């Protein structure tokens, strides 16, 4: 589950395809992200100078983790011929009080569909805890920020 269309480059760092998305200023503190023809909007709450027209980037970060967990849990259920009705994931996050500004903690609560055995519940949790976003946070990617010439 990568979420963006691959783009070939002359020399990707690991030989893998490079996925590209574009972010542009919309108005005030609002920005749009174009991803494979889909449009996401982010903004800031009014108390932080925005117009509160959309989630914040940090809220989308938490939502990305929660939806990845839900996707993996749902895939586990589908592989085992179980219904996904009732599957939910709740994300709660706290910001760090010191610098640098960052998310200090995230708690994910998975509500599986009713009727799963204890063994299936444990297996579902194990699978969900190893989604792509989880794995990325456990082994952070190299991040490079550059200015276009």
């Amino acid at each position: 589950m990568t979420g963006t269309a691959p783009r070939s480059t002359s020399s990707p760092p690991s030989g893998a395809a490079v996925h590209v998305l574009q972010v542009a200023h919309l108005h005030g503190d609002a920005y749009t992200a174009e991803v494979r023809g889909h449009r996401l909007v982010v903004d800031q709450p009014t108390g932080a100078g925005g117009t509160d027209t959309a989630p914040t980037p940090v809220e989308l970060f938490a939502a990305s983790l929660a939806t990845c967990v839900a996707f993996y849990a749902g895939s586990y259920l589908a592989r085992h011929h179980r219904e996904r009705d009732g599957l939910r994931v709740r994300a709660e996050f706290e910001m760090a009080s010191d610098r640098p500004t960052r998310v200090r903690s995230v708690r994910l609560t998975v509500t599986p569909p009713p009727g799963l055995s204890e063994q299936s519940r444990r297996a579902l949790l194990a699978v969900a805890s190893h989604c792509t976003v989880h794995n990325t946070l456990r082994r952070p990617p190299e991040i490079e920020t550059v200015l276009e010439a």
Side-chain angles (χ1 to χ4, degrees), residues 69-70 73 77 84-90 108-114 116 121 124-125:
V69 165
L77 293 167
R84 290 176 266 190
D85 293 341
L87 174 62
R88 293 190 319 272
V89 177
R90 176 185 171 92
L108 301 167
T109 304
V110 178
T111 303
L116 284 184
R121 291 170 59 88
L124 180 137
L125 183 59

Side-chain angles (χ1 to χ4, degrees), residues 30-133:
Y31 293 83
T32 61
E34 298 286 335
V35 183
R36 294 184 307 101
H38 302 283
R39 183 174 185 241
L40 303 171
V41 178
V42 298
D43 197 358
Q44 295 295 315
T46 53
T51 54
D52 204 17
T53 59
T56 69
V58 176
E59 290 165 337
L60 285 183
F61 165 76
S64 177
L65 178 57
T67 55
C68 192
V69 165
F71 171 76
Y72 271 64
S75 294
Y76 168 85
L77 293 167
R79 274 193 314 277
H80 293 277
H81 309 289
R82 300 297 306 246
E83 289 296 320
R84 290 176 266 190
D85 293 341
L87 174 62
R88 293 190 319 272
V89 177
R90 176 185 171 92
E92 300 173 34
F93 66 92
E94 292 182 51
M95 300 299 293
S97 59
D98 59 340
R99 296 278 182 213
T101 303
R102 66 195 183 285
V103 173
R104 182 182 73 80
S105 65
V106 180
R107 178 181 175 88
L108 301 167
T109 304
V110 178
T111 303
L116 284 184
S117 69
E118 192 55 40
Q119 180 181 1
S120 292
R121 291 170 59 88
R122 283 191 306 271
L124 180 137
L125 183 59
V127 168
S129 296
H130 288 87
C131 76
T132 304
V133 177

